[in-house]
Amino acid sequence: ATVIFDHAARQSVWRVPHADISLAHKKRSSIISGTITVASPRGPWTVDFRTQDSEKTKTVSLNASLKDLVPATIAHTTPELSILKALEIPVGGDISLDLAATGELLGGALSVHLSRGTMHLPFENAPLAVDSGRIDLTYERARRQLRIAAATLLWGQSRLTVSGAITAAPDANGHDAWAFDLAAVDGQLAAEEFGGLSAPIESWVAKGFLRPHSAEVELTQFLVRAGGGEIALTGRLGGVRDAPAVHLAGQISPMPLSAFKVLWPRVLAPGARAWIGERMVRGQIQGGTFSVQSGQSGDGDPDTQPERRVSLDLEAGDVQLIPLTGLAPIEAPRAAVHLEGGSLQVTIPDAALPLSQGRRLALKSGRFTVPDVFARDVVGELAFRSQGPAAAVLEVLEQERF
């Protein structure tokens, strides 16, 4: 069968290759049960359901099981579901709801299982690969609140379990909105590609609002702390356009370099992350700021707004880095990292290049530039001034890179 849904002047077509529905009417109640299979570009998904109404209590109970649904395949059906297009993750689960005869939700419980898939964030092209996950929540009618007992996500050697609440909080215009307040109860962040670095999560907090009518998420506070360092950000992301808008701004606290490599999400400016993670081998982060801008907001002109722009300013001390493969590590008391779009620049006012027999070549006004850290073959340029014995300079020139 073909089913056409018409919602808010938007039509969506659902192909239903199989449906088996039965009705049993008793003296004081009616029971409807069945199985429905829906076709999708990612394969069919199935719903098994059973509803029972009670004339005595004027209520309806619903129990259902879902299998093999990829949320991204139904994101086009209504504007409120467009936020699901980021989830290329097969899900299944069980739901139990109690409703009044008027349709009001009286209570319920939901358990969702996530399988291996990807999560596409609107501010980066590189998706987050998810291995598995589980979400268990209940609905409390008196508070109009979803209580999350535990939500666990696993990716690579990283894991995160959070709990908290999502509470109905209509905005000033009367639109439905949900305020979320989540915190970690357990977890670990890992950067396997940088020598297997990992650190337990000391704190993880996410607060803000979900706005289904505009498919937007507002972050009033997001904070993650691990390895003695902290990254915090605020902003907005999402929207019903084909290119969702993203406006994020954050701060980076002082921390060991190892903690920064773990805390920096691989989906945020992956090219710059890979360069710093591989090339900067020692250091102490003294602090920094970053921002992510993409898409549009309001009535902005698409011709004047960049598709995506990531900015990062970072100060580091006691640095040892290898700007070019084949070059000996450069040691510097201070370095400044600046990323704007795809252009990365590392400024090193004073540095030293270790040589043989314990000698060192002093370097001044160092500057390393990568025009495009997102390119497949990253090309960098290193410039500096130096005064020293001719033998020392010749030794540098004889290194493999030169």
Side-chain angles (χ1 to χ4, degrees):
T2 298
V3 180
I4 299 176
F5 283 98
D6 193 331
H7 175 76
R10 175 184 293 190
Q11 288 189 342
S12 60
V13 178
W14 299 56
R15 291 194 304 110
V16 182
H18 174 78
D20 183 4
I21 300 173
S22 63
L23 169 64
H25 183 67
K26 300 181 179 180
K27 184 176 182 180
R28 298 184 181 276
S29 66
S30 296
I31 299 173
I32 302 175
S33 60
T35 299
I36 298 175
T37 300
V38 181
S40 83
R42 291 290 301 274
W45 51 276
T46 303
V47 178
D48 297 315
F49 67 92
R50 183 180 187 275
T51 68
Q52 181 172 358
D53 67 358
S54 171
E55 292 185 6
K56 182 178 180 180
T57 61
K58 305 297 182 183
T59 60
V60 178
S61 64
L62 167 66
N63 293 280
S65 295
L66 177 68
K67 298 178 181 178
D68 302 324
L69 170 66
V70 177
T73 63
I74 63 171
H76 66 285
T77 56
T78 70
E80 291 81 4
L81 293 180
S82 62
I83 195 171
L84 297 179
K85 63 186 175 184
L87 302 178
E88 292 278 354
I89 302 173
V91 303
D94 300 298
I95 186 171
S96 176
L97 301 178
D98 294 317
L99 303 100
T102 58
E104 179 185 3
L105 181 60
L106 304 177
L110 174 67
S111 180
V112 177
H113 308 272
L114 310 180
S115 300
R116 186 184 299 272
T118 57
M119 184 183 302
H120 296 266
L121 301 182
F123 49 81
E124 269 302 338
N125 292 331
L128 174 66
V130 175
D131 291 323
S132 63
R134 179 186 174 105
I135 304 171
D136 294 303
L137 57 84
T138 57
Y139 177 73
E140 298 182 8
R141 177 195 180 196
R143 297 182 177 181
R144 297 191 66 198
Q145 185 178 84
L146 291 169
R147 295 292 305 177
I148 300 176
T152 299
L153 192 66
L154 293 91
W155 66 104
Q157 295 179 20
S158 299
R159 69 179 190 280
L160 174 67
T161 299
V162 304
S163 64
I166 303 175
T167 307
D171 63 21
N173 297 320
H175 293 128
D176 289 336
W178 295 84
F180 59 88
D181 185 350
L182 308 175
V185 296
D186 181 50
Q188 171 182 279
L189 295 178
E192 303 95 321
E193 63 273 52
F194 304 141
L197 291 174
S198 65
I201 294 175
E202 300 163 12
S203 179
W204 186 99
V205 175
K207 296 181 181 181
F209 296 89
L210 301 171
R211 306 186 191 281
H213 71 281
S214 60
E216 184 182 64
V217 179
E218 178 186 356
L219 284 170
T220 58
Q221 180 187 14
F222 180 85
L223 178 150
V224 57
R225 185 181 301 127
E230 176 182 301
I231 292 180
L233 64 87
T234 58
R236 296 172 180 267
L237 61 156
V240 296
R241 298 180 177 89
D242 291 335
V246 176
H247 303 278
L248 301 175
Q251 298 80 40
I252 302 166
S253 76
M255 69 182 80
L257 176 63
S258 58
F260 183 64
K261 292 181 180 182
V262 167
L263 283 171
W264 190 339
R266 58 171 50 91
V267 296
L268 180 60
R273 176 183 181 271
W275 191 93
I276 291 177
E278 295 168 0
R279 303 291 185 176
M280 194 174 291
V281 296
R282 189 188 73 210
Q284 179 71 29
I285 303 300
Q286 297 173 345
T289 60
F290 66 91
S291 66
V292 182
Q293 307 287 333
S294 72
Q296 297 187 72
S297 62
D299 298 323
D301 183 354
D303 295 329
T304 62
Q305 296 194 29
E307 180 180 344
R308 180 187 66 202
R309 181 166 293 275
V310 179
S311 299
L312 170 71
D313 286 288
L314 196 66
E315 296 284 339
D318 187 26
V319 173
Q320 184 183 70
L321 59 87
I322 307 173
L324 298 173
T325 302
L327 187 66
I330 292 176
E331 298 178 352
R334 185 170 63 88
V337 178
H338 177 68
L339 173 70
E340 189 67 38
S343 176
L344 175 69
Q345 181 174 283
V346 182
T347 302
I348 309 170
D350 297 284
L353 186 62
L355 302 174
S356 62
Q357 300 177 353
R359 295 176 301 155
R360 296 162 65 86
L361 179 64
L363 307 176
K364 299 288 186 180
S365 304
R367 188 182 302 275
F368 180 72
T369 303
V370 178
D372 186 4
V373 294
F374 302 109
R376 175 173 298 180
D377 297 318
V378 176
V379 177
E381 178 181 315
L382 177 64
F384 58 83
R385 292 190 300 107
S386 178
Q387 289 183 341
V393 175
L394 288 174
E395 184 175 334
V396 173
L397 295 177
E398 288 174 354
Q399 293 189 24
E400 178 185 346
R401 189 65 183 183
F402 293 93

